[in-house]
Amino acid sequence: MSAVEQYARAHLVTDSSEGHRAVPVVLRYDAEADPHTVRIGLPGRHEWTFARQLLEQGLRAPVAAGDVHIWPCGRVQTIVEFHAGDGVTVVQFDASALIRFLRRTYAATATPVTR
C-alpha cells in the first residue's frame, strides 16, 4: 500500500463571532506520486500540497515553507496556516490526528523485509 487517505475533524479559526468552526478535512499521501509530499484538503477550498517533513517538524516547533506555516499550539494542538492571494486560512488540528497520519505515511513507504 503506497497511498494513505485519512479523514479528520479540524477547527477553522476565524475572526468572526463563530470563533472556531469544526470542519471535515482530508489528509492524503501518495508515495508513488511523490513520497516527500502530503496534501490537506479543506472543504470549499483547494487542496494544499507541501513537504511531509514540514508537517512533522511543525508538530514540535514553528516552521514555514512558502505559503504554509505550521506550529504547535499547547501540548495537544497544531496550527496549520495557509497563505493565498485571497487571504489566510488558519486550521487547528488535534496533534494526535496528524501524528497518526504521519505514522501511516511512513508505514506505507516501509520496504517489506524479504527472506
Side-chain angles (χ1 to χ4, degrees), residues 52-101:
R52 176 172 63 170
Q53 183 179 13
L54 185 72
L55 181 58
E56 185 173 358
Q57 291 172 342
L59 290 168
R60 295 184 304 273
V63 295
D67 296 334
V68 179
H69 301 232
I70 305 171
W71 66 91
C73 179
R75 296 174 59 199
V76 297
Q77 302 292 315
T78 301
I79 302 293
V80 182
E81 186 176 271
F82 302 103
H83 294 253
D86 62 345
V88 177
T89 301
V90 180
V91 184
Q92 182 177 350
F93 287 89
D94 285 339
S96 62
L98 298 176
I99 292 167
R100 188 170 41 256
F101 172 68

Side-chain angles (χ1 to χ4, degrees), residues 35-66:
H36 302 290
T37 63
V38 295
R39 298 185 323 254
I40 294 181
L42 302 174
R45 307 198 189 277
H46 74 282
E47 192 168 71
W48 293 85
T49 302
F50 56 94
R52 176 172 63 170
Q53 183 179 13
L54 185 72
L55 181 58
E56 185 173 358
Q57 291 172 342
L59 290 168
R60 295 184 304 273
V63 295

Side-chain angles (χ1 to χ4, degrees), residues 3-8 26-30 37-40 50 52 55 95-108:
V4 174
E5 184 170 277
Q6 179 177 312
Y7 294 88
V26 181
L27 307 169
R28 292 189 174 101
Y29 173 77
D30 187 346
T37 63
V38 295
R39 298 185 323 254
I40 294 181
F50 56 94
R52 176 172 63 170
L55 181 58
S96 62
L98 298 176
I99 292 167
R100 188 170 41 256
F101 172 68
L102 284 170
R103 285 183 181 152
R104 291 182 65 205
T105 69
Y106 285 113

